[in-house]
């Protein structure tokens, strides 16, 4: 696990090289590659997959903003948030179920 101060598309390409979009569709135990959260707020993304699309990077995972759900977010969308995002990269992917317990999600 590594804390990452800044995040670039090139970094995302390396992180998600083995986990492009749709690569975990048939996995029962999904693995989280990257956690993104906003400290002191109950907002986070538990990202499972990602792929570059033109000049952006599209990520898929479990997110919680006002409700919890699976969905997509782009690098540009995340980059536009000026809320002091924090990143945790899991070199060894971690179980989504384990992180749901960490965040106290059903």
């Amino acid at each position: 696990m590594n804390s990452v101060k800044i995040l670039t598309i090139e970094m995302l390409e390396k992180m998600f090289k083995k986990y492009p979009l749709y690569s975990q569709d048939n996995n029962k135990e999904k693995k989280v590659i990257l956690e993104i959260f906003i400290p002191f707020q109950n907002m986070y993304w538990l990202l499972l997959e990602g792929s570059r699309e033109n000049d952006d990077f599209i990520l898929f995972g479990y997110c919680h903003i006002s409700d919890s759900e699976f969905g997509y977010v782009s690098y540009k969308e995340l980059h536009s948030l000026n809320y002091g995002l924090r990143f945790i990269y899991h070199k060894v992917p971690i179980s989504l179920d384990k992180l749901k317990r960490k965040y106290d999600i059903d």
Side-chain angles (χ1 to χ4, degrees):
M1 172 172 64
N2 286 350
S3 282
V4 179
K5 299 257 188 241
I6 59 168
L7 199 60
T8 65
I9 290 178
E10 291 75 20
M11 292 169 71
L12 289 169
E13 286 179 313
K14 289 178 185 176
M15 289 177 187
F16 288 91
K17 183 176 181 176
K18 294 182 182 177
Y19 298 93
L21 291 175
Y22 315 110
S23 63
Q24 295 194 60
D25 278 1
N26 296 321
N27 293 353
K28 287 185 180 179
E29 187 172 323
K30 307 226 182 286
K31 300 291 184 181
V32 174
I33 312 307
L34 182 66
E35 289 178 65
I36 300 177
F37 59 95
I38 300 174
F40 310 112
Q41 295 187 34
N42 196 20
M43 296 174 64
Y44 51 83
W45 295 263
L46 306 176
L47 298 168
L48 310 169
E49 306 166 345
S51 295
R52 187 175 196 139
E53 290 191 9
N54 300 316
D55 64 341
D56 204 353
F57 199 90
I58 306 303
L59 298 146
F60 176 79
Y62 195 79
C63 65
H64 180 84
I65 296 173
S66 58
D67 291 319
S68 298
E69 63 185 357
F70 283 96
Y72 295 89
V73 65
S74 75
Y75 170 80
K76 287 183 176 183
E77 287 174 298
L78 290 171
H79 192 68
S80 71
L81 298 174
N82 291 323
Y83 297 118
L85 295 176
R86 299 288 185 259
F87 311 97
I88 300 174
Y89 167 52
H90 297 282
K91 285 185 180 180
V92 176
I94 189 166
S95 162
L96 175 61
D97 290 335
K98 182 176 181 176
L99 285 177
K100 281 182 170 183
R101 288 190 296 276
K102 171 185 168 182
Y103 286 100
D104 197 25
I105 304 167
D106 293 336

